[in-house]
């Protein structure tokens, strides 16, 4: 089970930190990441991190503003979001690849086999 926290309402230019913790069992973590979905739009990739080599990936729209990090012991991933813009408004979903695979395709939803329920992020102008 994945549980997200940290969403909320913030003014443009502000910051939020999302957290996603895994619970309910033991896991071999290949990768964890964040996706988002705005009303009327498809779910899109935001950021991800691969456990084996600490490789990170970001969507072009968030590069330089968002930072993904992890806590191995807690099986937790964080998304620090700075300089937020109204277009960042969406439901943010945590995703995890709990497997023994390579998790190469970090930007694809098909890379992940567990999803959180989502947390709302609203950025006002």
């Amino acid at each position: 089970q994945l549980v997200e926290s940290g969403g909320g309402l913030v003014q443009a230019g502000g910051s939020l930190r999302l957290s996603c913790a895994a619970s309910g069992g033991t896991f071999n973590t290949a990768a964890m990441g964040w996706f988002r979905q705005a009303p009327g739009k498809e779910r899109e990739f935001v950021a991800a991190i691969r456990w084996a080599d600490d490789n990170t990936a970001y969507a072009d729209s968030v590069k330089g503003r968002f930072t993904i990090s992890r806590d191995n012991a807690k099986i937790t991933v964080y998304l620090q979001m700075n300089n937020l813009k109204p277009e960042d408004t969406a439901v943010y979903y945590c995703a995890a690849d709990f497997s023994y695979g390579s998790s190469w395709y970090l930007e694809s939803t098909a890379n992940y086999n567990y999803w959180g329920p989502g947390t709302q992020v609203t950025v006002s102008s």
Side-chain angles (χ1 to χ4, degrees), residues 30-50:
M32 293 183 74
W34 293 92
F35 288 74
R36 67 187 182 187
Q37 188 166 17
K41 295 187 177 181
E42 293 187 353
R43 190 170 298 191
E44 65 175 5
F45 171 75
V46 176
I49 185 166
R50 186 182 298 124

Side-chain angles (χ1 to χ4, degrees), residues 11 19 65 117 119:
Q11 288 188 331
S19 299
R65 300 188 298 122
T119 185

Side-chain angles (χ1 to χ4, degrees), residues 22 49 51 61 99:
I49 185 166
W51 248 237
S61 59
S99 73

Side-chain angles (χ1 to χ4, degrees), residues 1 3 7 18 23 26 36 55 59 62-63 87 89-90 97 121:
Q1 181 181 3
V3 179
L18 304 184
S23 64
T26 57
R36 67 187 182 187
N55 184 54
V62 306
K63 282 181 180 176
E87 51 263 43
T89 296
D97 175 7
V121 171

